[in-house]
Amino acid sequence: MIAAPPQPATECPLCRAGTMRPVAQLAAEAAIARCHRCGLARGEHRPAMADAADHFRGLDADRYLRSVGATRLRSYDKLLAEVQPLVSSGTWLDVGCSYGWLLERVGVAGYQPIGLEPSSAAAAEARTSGLNVIEGFFPADVPADIRPNVISFMDVLEHLPDPVAALRAAKDQLAPGGVVVVQVPDQACCLYQVAEALCRATGGRSSFALRRLWLVGFDFPHLYYFTRKTLAAAMATAGLKVEKTFRSPVGSPRESLDRVAYASAGPIQLKDRCVALAVAGIQVVDGLTGYGGLLTMIARGD
């Protein structure tokens, strides 16, 4: 039996208005909609077929490190420069900590790092470096006695079914004076706008870039795309007060091929090379304008 294609949402999960409008139907795998009132984009995906989904399963680890890993490692100095004036020490909980790259950096900076990671493979790899990583999901698997001074969601919030609920749980978990740090891909960036425009202009025939941005077919796809406005609204709805907002590049042009192709450990395809060339050009434009494709917000819990 073939499952029916996902249908776009009609009620906005953020502002609760019935103003979600279809943006793109990506074959039988995903449907994208955007709220005409607040601007939040939501993706409805066909459920993963795997019995035990693991978002690192089947990826090319070397390509992932050379692209996603390199971007994140470059961003940590800026991140710490923004966080430390607000919270200079204490426990730092990184939700969805992957291989523990941020945990290593904040440990060097004097924080007590704790990671939470749903991928058993990634959690095990992080622990080989001596990092304190709990395998599980937020907030259910965070020990009740942990009261972090910093809780970070680095490229994680857009994957969660209910981002506002996650932010509320983070606020409740924080130690007094603590902050929540959220980084998400920015829906307003040039890369996303070009991918969506191309898909719509071709009636869905050129949808590879948009599918890749939504991680269609992955075990852990993007469920949301935020802008500065919608992320700030999610923070406010959760009772958090935004203190700082900044943007950073989603990657460098020389890493674009690895970023496009890391989803598979197999040979790089011609379409990957074509998309990577376009992505590199857009990243050059983002770099010249200083816009970037990653949006980071730091908010206080009290």
Side-chain angles (χ1 to χ4, degrees), residues 55-60 63-64 212 215 218 257-266:
H55 55 288
F56 286 93
R57 180 172 53 85
L59 301 187
D60 186 299
R63 293 173 190 162
Y64 187 78
R212 188 64 179 74
L215 300 184
F218 283 54
L257 182 57
D258 283 323
R259 180 171 288 275
V260 169
Y262 77 71
S264 171

Side-chain angles (χ1 to χ4, degrees), residues 14 38 164 227-238 242 297:
L14 182 57
C38 73
V164 172
T227 62
R228 180 171 182 160
K229 175 185 175 182
T230 54
L231 184 57
M235 293 280 206
T237 302
V242 176
M297 281 190 181

Side-chain angles (χ1 to χ4, degrees), residues 75-95 97 101-116 132 146-154 174-175 179-182 246 296 298:
S75 72
Y76 293 157
D77 286 345
K78 169 68 172 175
L79 178 66
L80 283 166
E82 298 291 347
V83 172
Q84 286 177 317
L86 301 174
V87 178
S88 60
S89 62
T91 300
W92 186 311
L93 173 65
D94 187 30
V95 178
C97 68
W101 300 320
L102 179 58
L103 298 180
E104 292 180 340
R105 183 67 181 83
V106 301
V108 171
Y111 296 89
Q112 289 76 54
I114 300 175
L116 182 69
N132 181 6
I146 294 179
R147 302 284 286 174
N149 303 89
V150 181
I151 300 178
S152 56
F153 297 84
M154 307 300 289
L174 279 175
V179 298
V180 174
V181 180
V182 174
F246 60 93
T296 305
I298 304 171

